[in-house]
Amino acid sequence: MSLIRLFSFRFILISFVVSAQPWLAWAETAEKVSKYDYLPSDEVIAIDVGEQKSEVLIRPWIGKKKLGAAIMFANTGMDADSAGLQAFLRRNLTHTGWATISITPPNSVVTPNFATSPEEVAKAGEGKEIQKSSEPTQQFSDETWKKIREKQELFVVQSMDQLDAIGKPFPGKRILITTAQGAGLTISLLSKNKLPKPDILVIINPYMRQIDENQALPKLLAELDLPVLDIQSRDGHRASLNTVERRRELSPHNSPYRYSQQLMSLNLNQETAWQVCLELIEGFAQRINKAYP
């Protein structure tokens, strides 16, 4: 190779490396950017949950009323500022005297997807039993599901354990607001005394994925010794709708400060319904505050 060609090759290589530097720097920066980069940096707190990284979102009081903090825990698989009801309540409760502390829920459980390799397909005359198309897909084994549930519960407990320090700037009562499977997990954990008892519990369309767990939910809820606001929308998950009557039947009767079930005629995908939820929560909290100042 001539000296001229060797020099030209080195020049091109150096030029490529130099021009790549800005892209490499951008890539490194992009990895560090939070998915909440649209929020003020003082509203986002990074925490360690076991070996995982997680984030908690904080919004302080707006106005003179300072009643305490609302801890928000959405459905599994969502984030701490999921669009819709979660984001609406997180921002608007602060105008009613409640600072908001939103934790990231654990990951949701993906339904198992089974694929049969060609060599495993039964051939005529072999007598192998195969699953019929009309039969429900095989689910997790009891042992596997137990491990999944324990992992989810541990994530919630370890996240909640850090909220005392995070919520110190907001003294007062504590409302725990949970939705869907997040609400089911919360009821289960409170019944096991694995979470500190809030002053008020708000559950929205609560359910558990496993049939036996879901059927046990109303009894666990009825046994909790704290004020509960139970909100059910008509577009809630079928598992939640299946237990709504049982939740009301098992609840303490003639105890408005202990349990209140509110059935909404609106779907939660409507902004009007978000405002209704906010008013229900604010009204119930005011009632409890007057009864137990």
Side-chain angles (χ1 to χ4, degrees), residues 1-14:
M1 182 182 294
S2 67
L3 289 176
I4 295 176
R5 290 177 62 190
L6 180 61
F7 176 79
S8 299
F9 174 77
R10 288 180 176 176
F11 177 78
I12 292 171
L13 180 60
I14 292 171

Side-chain angles (χ1 to χ4, degrees), residues 230-274:
D230 181 356
I231 299 175
Q232 180 71 51
S233 67
R234 65 181 185 180
D235 65 334
H237 192 280
R238 182 174 61 182
S240 179
L241 292 168
N242 286 344
T243 66
V244 65
E245 291 185 11
R246 190 64 174 159
R247 300 196 312 261
R248 184 176 64 253
E249 289 172 357
L250 292 181
S251 68
H253 294 279
N254 301 317
S255 302
Y257 300 108
R258 167 63 182 79
Y259 179 87
S260 175
Q261 187 180 86
Q262 298 292 332
L263 304 179
M264 298 180 61
S265 60
L266 301 171
N267 292 343
L268 282 185
N269 58 7
Q270 301 173 322
E271 290 189 31
T272 307
W274 307 344

Side-chain angles (χ1 to χ4, degrees), residues 34 36-45 56-60 81 90-91:
S34 166
Y36 303 112
D37 58 353
Y38 58 90
L39 297 174
S41 58
D42 58 353
E43 287 190 14
V44 184
I45 297 177
V56 177
L57 305 185
I58 309 294
R59 279 182 73 87
D81 194 37
R90 196 180 81 78
R91 287 162 174 78

Side-chain angles (χ1 to χ4, degrees), residues 179-238:
T179 59
Q181 290 187 80
L185 272 174
T186 299
I187 294 168
S188 176
L189 287 168
L190 285 170
S191 71
K192 299 173 184 175
N193 295 316
K194 290 187 176 181
L195 291 181
K197 189 167 67 173
D199 297 290
I200 300 170
L201 174 64
V202 177
I203 53 174
I204 303 172
N205 297 337
Y207 76 95
M208 294 287 261
R209 178 168 168 170
Q210 293 293 87
I211 294 176
D212 57 340
E213 289 180 321
N214 197 57
Q215 290 176 341
L217 211 57
K219 187 172 184 296
L220 296 180
L221 179 62
E223 292 172 349
L224 295 181
D225 184 22
L226 74 164
V228 176
L229 173 61
D230 181 356
I231 299 175
Q232 180 71 51
S233 67
R234 65 181 185 180
D235 65 334
H237 192 280
R238 182 174 61 182

